Amino acid sequence: MEFRHASVMLEESLRFLAPRSGGIYVDGTLGGGGHAERILADTAPDGRLIAFDKDPDALSAAGQRLSPFGSRVRLVHGDFAVLSSALAEMGIDGIDGIMLDLGVSSHQLDSGERGFSFQQDAPLDMRMDTTKGVTAADIVNNESREELIRIIREYGEERWASRIASAIVRARETLPVTSTLQLAELVKGAIPRPAWEDRIHPATRTFQGLRIAVNDELGSIRRGLPAAMQLLNRGGRAVVISFHSLEDRIVKDTFRSFTGRCTCPRDLPVCVCGQSAAVRILTAKPVRAGEDEIAANPRARSARLRAAEKL
């Protein structure tokens, strides 16, 4: 299946990133290569891009798309959380910008065999990196009821997590839960019919929670974004697009942690923490996609863009 991923808020992203020739940039979530292609075009003739992705399909497809840029682009199979060590191995100790388009790609959602969606029956996988790691089926069939509740409630923001976890545990005692539709039906049966939301499938939040757990998505942001902020050269920028409140909260808090806000106790008469601002936040509030883009790509509706500049 051809790799497809619509680059959300492409123009807004490039406006905040402000790439320039001669700079070194990182695309931590390469996907289909849309943002990467524009970064390389805007940094001609000698700008460099290091692009990370956990998905081998993404790397293969984007590699072909970006091949005209030759040695100016370097692809890395891996989580952007390891960018510090990866860049160090390349002899790079500073970058001029980083782009992160978080979450799952259109290709991953639309490829039934990947198990990210309940639109068709498929193995319950959900791994972005199909070469390693536990699957959603591993978690569903092996974790305790308490851990399932935590994953579904914390990562899926699902208020019916306890009932859903109980239904999963009861079902797996008879037959392992191994397919997307099997799990989706369990979730539907666990949530009272009057509580179903109008706009989303009852299993949406549970699938989100499992996907985040399988791929350690929030952990990647917590490790990778602060590392990227440290690596930014003066005037370098970080642009991050998130798709739900859990991601957005980490991005907002990470940016704020670099603004030099005093961390001393409130009852201390004089500041002694010595905090000084390292970045300037460029987006007082998250930027949202426009109506035309949402009409063309409904998945852009939940996108939120934040940006910061290194001082």
Side-chain angles (χ1 to χ4, degrees), residues 49-167:
L49 177 72
I50 298 91
F52 293 77
D53 207 289
K54 293 186 281 190
D55 191 334
D57 289 351
L59 289 172
S60 176
Q64 296 180 35
R65 180 174 185 173
L66 303 177
S67 60
F69 298 99
S71 61
R72 290 178 54 209
V73 58
R74 181 162 179 176
L75 306 184
V76 180
H77 179 210
D79 193 323
F80 70 86
V82 304
L83 68 89
S84 287
S85 58
L87 294 181
E89 290 178 4
M90 300 176 198
I92 298 172
D93 57 8
I95 59 176
D96 298 295
I98 182 168
M99 176 73 220
L100 297 175
D101 180 1
L102 304 172
V104 65
S105 72
S106 303
H107 173 82
Q108 290 162 339
L109 286 171
D110 294 339
S111 299
E113 70 275 8
R114 301 292 295 272
F116 286 98
S117 172
F118 39 76
Q119 298 303 317
Q120 55 183 304
D121 204 16
L124 197 56
D125 194 318
M126 299 194 193
R127 291 173 299 165
M128 292 180 180
D129 186 345
T130 54
T131 67
K132 61 184 179 181
V134 299
T135 67
D138 293 329
I139 292 175
V140 164
N141 291 291
N142 297 312
E143 293 292 354
S144 66
R145 175 180 176 274
E146 290 70 25
E147 179 63 4
L148 289 175
I149 292 173
R150 186 191 71 82
I151 289 171
I152 297 169
R153 178 177 291 152
E154 183 177 335
Y155 298 155
E157 301 178 288
E158 174 58 77
R159 67 189 183 102
W160 300 100
S162 180
R163 289 174 63 114
I164 294 167
S166 295

Side-chain angles (χ1 to χ4, degrees), residues 9-21 23-28 34-40 42-43 48-50 95-100 232 235-241 255 282-283 305-310:
M9 288 195 282
L10 181 59
E11 298 303 325
E12 294 89 338
S13 300
L14 271 293
R15 185 174 72 250
F16 280 105
L17 188 64
R20 54 178 174 76
S21 61
I24 300 176
Y25 295 86
V26 169
D27 186 337
H35 287 108
E37 186 176 49
R38 279 291 304 275
I39 292 171
L40 286 161
D42 289 358
T43 58
R48 296 167 59 193
L49 177 72
I50 298 91
I95 59 176
D96 298 295
I98 182 168
M99 176 73 220
L100 297 175
L232 283 176
R237 293 184 171 189
V239 177
V240 186
I241 300 174
F255 282 174
L282 302 177
T283 49
L305 181 152
R306 293 185 186 270
E309 181 181 61
K310 191 73 170 283

Side-chain angles (χ1 to χ4, degrees), residues 239-260:
V239 177
V240 186
I241 300 174
S242 58
F243 288 85
H244 54 76
S245 60
L246 298 175
E247 294 173 337
D248 184 58
R249 189 176 305 123
I250 296 172
V251 175
K252 179 177 66 174
D253 291 345
T254 300
F255 282 174
R256 283 183 175 177
S257 72
F258 282 86
T259 59

